[in-house]
Amino acid sequence: MSSPAASPPERQGGELSVSQVKAIGQKRLASELARLTAQKPAGLLDVFADQKDIYIWHLVVAPDFEPYKGGFFKVRMVASQEYPYKPPKVFFDTPIHHMNVDPKTSQACIHSIHVDTWQPSVQMDSVVRSLFYFMKVPQPERSVQPALASSFIKNQAAYLKAASDFTKQKASTKP
């Protein structure tokens, strides 16, 4: 059974202060960003932190698999002020046809970064790898768009063609 996201560790004499947790998160994010920038996985064209906020990362992803091949997606990863003790959130700033992306908020509902499954040992490069897996393997059982999940279950080829056509319309221009 999965456990909720871990709480910050206690320091000798009591719990960590908010400023200590924030300092831990900022230092870790800077380190993880440097590592990811130096060793980008295939399909990650760019990654950088917001100029004013290390907790907000901007990515440009170009998957080499259908139905998103040929598309360029701007993605935003937003870490909590309590990172790494709370999971980041992932948002598609480029529209995407995907049953696990909330159409109102554009938030990707990625199981591995759900509050109930998050572990503080998970690093942002793993979140990026999870993002690519998420794009490649839709999960109808976790869908936030029931009509798309139903379409996928009834006729996977039609769902994938609709996603491919949508990608050509909305995500074919390199940012």
Side-chain angles (χ1 to χ4, degrees):
M1 178 147 232
S2 59
S3 61
S7 299
E10 289 188 17
R11 64 177 172 86
Q12 199 168 20
E15 290 189 21
L16 292 172
S17 70
V18 171
S19 62
Q20 288 171 314
V21 170
K22 191 172 179 179
I24 289 169
Q26 289 172 341
K27 183 177 179 181
R28 180 163 154 183
L29 284 167
S31 172
E32 291 179 19
L33 179 62
R35 188 173 46 255
L36 187 58
T37 301
Q39 301 173 344
K40 292 182 196 128
L44 178 61
L45 301 184
D46 199 9
V47 56
F48 57 94
D50 190 270
Q51 290 182 343
K52 297 178 183 173
D53 192 345
I54 188 73
Y55 291 97
I56 301 172
W57 290 14
H58 302 277
L59 294 79
V60 177
V61 299
D64 64 352
F65 49 81
E66 296 298 338
Y68 306 111
K69 189 173 187 170
F72 299 94
F73 297 89
K74 288 183 181 180
V75 176
R76 196 169 15 100
M77 294 189 345
V78 180
S80 160
Q81 296 281 318
E82 297 178 69
Y83 180 82
Y85 306 107
K86 301 286 182 193
K89 294 180 180 180
V90 176
F91 300 89
F92 277 85
D93 293 333
T94 301
I96 187 168
H97 181 91
H98 196 293
M99 71 181 74
N100 303 109
V101 174
D102 186 308
K104 292 180 181 135
T105 66
S106 301
Q107 183 175 352
C109 300
I110 302 173
H111 180 66
S112 64
I113 61 171
H114 188 273
V115 70
D116 291 337
T117 57
W118 178 253
Q119 295 295 318
S121 59
V122 176
Q123 297 184 359
M124 293 295 254
D125 61 336
S126 292
V127 175
V128 171
R129 284 193 303 276
S130 293
L131 171 66
F132 280 101
Y133 181 79
F134 164 88
M135 292 176 76
K136 194 172 193 172
V137 183
Q139 297 179 331
E141 67 280 2
R142 299 184 192 288
S143 178
V144 292
Q145 297 192 55
L148 291 183
S150 177
S151 168
F152 180 82
I153 291 166
K154 290 178 184 173
N155 187 341
Q156 188 173 351
Y159 172 89
L160 294 173
K161 178 165 180 1
S164 178
D165 292 346
F166 190 89
T167 298
K168 288 174 186 152
Q169 279 185 324
K170 304 286 186 178
S172 62
T173 304
K174 187 174 183 179

